[in-house]
Amino acid sequence: MSAQAEAQRLLPRPLLAVLTTLLCLMVLVPLLYIVLASLNTDVGVAGGEFFPSTFTAASYSKIWTTADLSTGIVNSLIVCAVTAVASALLGTTTAYVLVRYTFLGRLTILRGLVGLQSIPGTLMLLPVFVLFSSAGNYLGLTVIGTRWGLFVAYLTFALPFSTWVMVTYLRGLPRELEEAARTEGASTVTILWRIIVPLSLPAIVVSGIFAFLLGWNDVLFASVLTRPETHTAAVALQIFGSAQEGGALPVYSQMMAAALICAAPVVILYLLFQRYLVGGLTAGGVK
């Protein structure tokens, strides 16, 4: 039975249409307001205008001087891109070992990957900060305030999820492909990079995108582990928004424009890899 037929079986067609319309409105109306507010003046937004009386794109040019958004976006792109690539590659190789080999402690590791997902990131903020500070004192390394320190923190939280996604996906790949390659003399590394990785591309994309979003949306760790020149886009946006509180005329239009600019890379990422997302997210759901 198709998904549309299944939905119609659960709900009558009129009710399904009403619910679908309401859900679309809940998403589109706030988005439309943000877009219109970014094209309005600060005075118009502060006055409560939903539809601008005067359309202007001045906020998109002012935001680069009123908020340190360019530095934040560059830092976020560098840290999050490296985290996504490293998490996807390490998660794939680790998952391959966990799925295809049997060794002592394998089940413990698999259960630990699931258990790590239940630990809130806020509980790890102080331990991570103390650990990074100790590394700076005892090893002579500068970790706090650097991009690579933020990368290590993000990778710590992204790698368990990426590994579990790949474990679920690799369990569904037939072993016959690997056995056929071994009969031709292919090594384990060759099998991994020439057979497993191309076949697992949907799951690799999903794990990479989620790792990217983990860093892109983070404010807590980025605000503690960075300094002004290494602030991410989320921190720059938060600082800019906090600076307007209590002002004579909050620059709401510029805040909306900054929010759309910060959201643009994520939207572009989804548009580029959307054909892989459906297959990767549903991987392992049917055996």
Side-chain angles (χ1 to χ4, degrees):
M1 183 180 294
S2 64
Q4 183 178 3
E6 182 70 17
Q8 293 177 3
R9 186 179 67 85
L10 295 175
L11 293 174
R13 184 184 294 270
L15 182 59
L16 183 62
V18 172
L19 290 178
T20 303
T21 304
L22 289 177
L23 290 175
C24 292
L25 289 176
M26 290 174 61
V27 175
L28 295 178
V29 170
L31 180 60
L32 178 62
Y33 175 76
I34 293 175
V35 173
L36 292 177
S38 67
L39 297 174
N40 200 347
T41 61
D42 294 324
V43 176
V45 178
E49 292 182 359
F50 181 84
F51 196 82
S53 56
T54 303
F55 283 92
T56 176
S59 296
Y60 288 94
S61 59
K62 293 179 180 178
I63 192 63
W64 303 104
T65 55
T66 55
D68 193 13
L69 203 59
S70 57
T71 303
I73 290 178
V74 171
N75 291 331
S76 290
L77 288 175
I78 293 175
V79 174
C80 296
V82 175
T83 302
V85 173
S87 178
L89 294 179
L90 292 175
T92 302
T93 53
T94 304
Y96 181 76
V97 174
L98 292 173
V99 172
R100 292 296 189 253
Y101 296 93
T102 301
F103 52 89
L104 184 64
R106 172 177 170 272
L107 292 178
T108 303
I109 295 175
L110 290 173
R111 291 166 183 166
L113 292 175
V114 179
L116 288 173
Q117 306 304 315
S118 62
I119 301 177
T122 53
L123 294 180
M124 301 300 297
L125 179 61
L126 183 58
V128 169
F129 181 81
V130 173
L131 180 63
F132 284 4
S133 300
S134 300
N137 294 331
Y138 294 109
L139 301 179
L141 298 175
T142 303
V143 183
I144 304 296
T146 62
R147 292 195 192 105
W148 74 269
L150 195 60
F151 157 72
V152 171
Y154 290 158
L155 185 63
T156 303
F157 296 100
L159 188 56
F161 177 81
S162 298
T163 304
W164 186 253
V165 169
M166 296 308 304
V167 165
T168 306
Y169 193 89
L170 292 180
R171 282 174 175 171
L173 294 182
R175 293 177 179 266
E176 289 77 8
L177 295 174
E178 302 172 46
E179 295 173 357
R182 290 188 188 279
T183 59
E184 298 294 332
S187 63
T188 302
V189 176
T190 303
I191 293 173
L192 178 62
W193 295 109
R194 294 193 176 183
I195 297 178
I196 300 299
V197 170
L199 292 176
S200 306
L201 194 57
I204 293 175
V205 170
V206 169
S207 62
I209 287 179
F210 273 87
F212 185 92
L213 292 178
L214 174 69
W216 190 268
N217 295 328
D218 173 69
V219 177
L220 186 62
F221 282 86
S223 60
V224 174
L225 300 179
T226 60
R227 51 177 179 259
E229 56 269 22
T230 56
H231 278 168
T232 61
V235 176
L237 191 60
Q238 181 201 36
I239 293 175
F240 176 65
S242 301
Q244 308 307 317
E245 295 181 1
L249 180 61
V251 287
Y252 291 133
S253 178
Q254 297 181 45
M255 292 174 63
M256 300 298 180
L260 290 176
I261 291 173
C262 291
V266 178
V267 175
I268 294 173
L269 194 66
Y270 272 108
L271 292 177
L272 291 177
F273 296 104
Q274 61 179 338
R275 66 190 185 98
Y276 297 104
L277 285 174
V278 176
L281 288 173
T282 59
V286 179
K287 294 295 184 183

